[in-house]
Amino acid sequence: KIEHISAGYNDKTIIHDLSFEVEPSSLCVVIGENGSGKSTLLKALACQLKHDGFSYVDEDQVEMMRIKERARLMSYLPQKSGVQISLPVLDVVLMGYNPVLKLLEKPSIAQIENAKTVLKSMGLESYIEEDFQNLSEGQKQLVLLSRLMIEDSKILLLDEIDSALDFHHRYEIMKKLETHIHAQKASAILCLHDLALALRFANQLV
């Protein structure tokens, strides 16, 4: 539940007093012109941007949660990966387990195998040991989506996941995302440029 969210940059308000609700196991797509505040909204909901108003998952206020607690509940995939160092693709995906691992704890064999299975489902099994930085932008996006898929979060926030993908991969990724949120009883809020894709998969448009 999003209540009266306002946010912006340098004293300029981009989003003003926005409220809406997203049902469980549903896919909410945010559409709009460039600069209309789609990315700003996701940053605010992920608490990556100072904002007014509140958001709730069930009855729990997201803004009052500790960082680790919020990381277990919500997964945020921005437009840019944030991964700036050389890491094998598998290690990037395994970062999705960080919120449930203790300090210096390594992923279990079961977690590693699950990560490999998700990468295979994305058609990336041959890139498991590849340096993430050597991938194309589209491949990087698929790796980051794989990382998100293993997190088992109740809320997924995805910013323009279609931007670096060709038509075939856009459609396939949306089908995988749809299957994932129904299996996990999660909810996804994502920004899309492709209106046809939004109309095909969205349970709700904002």
Side-chain angles (χ1 to χ4, degrees), residues 61-92:
Q61 185 182 330
V62 174
E63 289 83 1
M64 297 298 293
M65 295 177 180
R66 296 179 178 178
I67 293 175
K68 194 93 171 180
E69 181 185 6
R70 191 163 58 235
R72 293 191 188 102
L73 184 70
M74 306 176 74
S75 296
Y76 171 51
L77 182 57
Q79 290 183 33
K80 296 184 178 180
S81 72
V83 180
Q84 304 297 333
I85 60 174
S86 293
L87 284 173
V89 163
L90 181 60
D91 287 359
V92 173

Side-chain angles (χ1 to χ4, degrees), residues 122-134:
M122 293 288 188
L124 295 169
E125 63 269 30
S126 62
Y127 294 91
I128 286 176
E129 299 301 327
E130 186 74 34
D131 188 334
F132 178 79
Q133 302 301 336
N134 293 338

Side-chain angles (χ1 to χ4, degrees), residues 25-69:
S25 300
S26 66
L27 202 158
C28 173
V29 175
V30 182
I31 57 175
E33 298 176 351
N34 290 336
S36 60
K38 301 187 298 297
S39 297
T40 301
L41 171 63
L42 293 193
K43 288 178 183 177
L45 296 181
C47 293
Q48 301 289 317
L49 181 67
K50 185 178 179 181
H51 60 276
D52 295 323
F54 308 98
S55 55
Y56 299 87
V57 178
D58 296 324
E59 300 302 319
D60 299 321
Q61 185 182 330
V62 174
E63 289 83 1
M64 297 298 293
M65 295 177 180
R66 296 179 178 178
I67 293 175
K68 194 93 171 180
E69 181 185 6

Side-chain angles (χ1 to χ4, degrees), residues 84-134:
Q84 304 297 333
I85 60 174
S86 293
L87 284 173
V89 163
L90 181 60
D91 287 359
V92 173
V93 176
L94 288 171
M95 289 166 64
Y97 287 119
N98 285 350
V100 297
L101 295 176
K102 297 177 181 178
L103 185 64
L104 302 180
E105 183 182 4
K106 294 182 179 180
S108 67
I109 293 175
Q111 289 171 329
I112 292 171
E113 289 305 313
N114 185 47
K116 289 179 178 179
T117 299
V118 174
L119 281 167
K120 184 176 181 179
S121 75
M122 293 288 188
L124 295 169
E125 63 269 30
S126 62
Y127 294 91
I128 286 176
E129 299 301 327
E130 186 74 34
D131 188 334
F132 178 79
Q133 302 301 336
N134 293 338

